[in-house]
Amino acid sequence: QVQLVESGGGLVQAGDSLRLSCAASGRGFSEYAMGWFRQAPGKEREFVAAISGSGGNLHYTYSVKDRFTISRDNAKNTVSLQMNSLQPEDTALYYCAAAYTRGTDRYGVSASEYEYWGQGTQVTVSS
């Protein structure tokens, strides 16, 4: 069982930066790929970024590539999302998720591939 708690959301202006963090409890954190998803009002949940268990493989959705950076610290059981050059279209509830991959370098880009989810942290970007 993995429990995830996100933090770091807030209200910022366009062009600003935010850093989201996700703290995981439970054993074997490095055996899980971690992902960030977001859901804007009236829209479906969408993939943002993913990182494999070792941190060696990363993937981003096209709209955030070169602006967002996902990273993890397996010693601290945390995963982070550094978000730069935020735009109003980035406004959403951001979720952290974990997918058991047995420590392989796989990761998922679909919400259905993730077994555990946090409660979300709100990011609001004003123009």
Side-chain angles (χ1 to χ4, degrees):
Q1 190 77 9
V2 175
Q3 293 184 324
L4 305 172
V5 178
E6 303 96 334
S7 61
L11 172 63
V12 297
Q13 294 185 335
D16 285 351
S17 299
L18 274 178
R19 185 177 181 87
L20 305 184
S21 294
C22 174
S25 63
R27 304 178 68 175
F29 180 67
S30 63
E31 297 181 347
Y32 290 82
M34 300 298 296
W36 286 98
F37 290 77
R38 65 187 180 186
Q39 188 166 17
K43 295 187 177 181
E44 293 187 355
R45 191 171 300 190
E46 67 168 347
F47 169 79
V48 176
I51 187 168
S52 61
S54 68
N57 276 348
L58 313 176
H59 187 70
Y60 301 91
T61 193
Y62 180 79
S63 63
V64 308
K65 193 174 173 60
D66 297 329
R67 296 191 299 126
F68 291 10
T69 302
I70 188 171
S71 60
R72 66 189 296 159
D73 185 336
N74 286 346
K76 296 182 178 179
N77 282 17
T78 59
V79 60
S80 299
L81 186 68
Q82 176 67 40
M83 306 186 296
N84 298 330
S85 302
L86 283 161
Q87 299 301 316
E89 52 265 36
D90 295 316
T91 294
L93 187 61
Y94 282 71
Y95 296 91
C96 170
Y100 184 63
T101 58
R102 299 185 179 180
T104 66
D105 273 343
R106 294 185 295 112
Y107 54 81
V109 298
S110 170
S112 62
E113 298 177 88
Y114 289 81
E115 298 100 329
Y116 302 102
W117 293 83
Q119 294 300 306
T121 185
Q122 179 67 38
V123 172
T124 303
V125 185
S126 63
S127 58

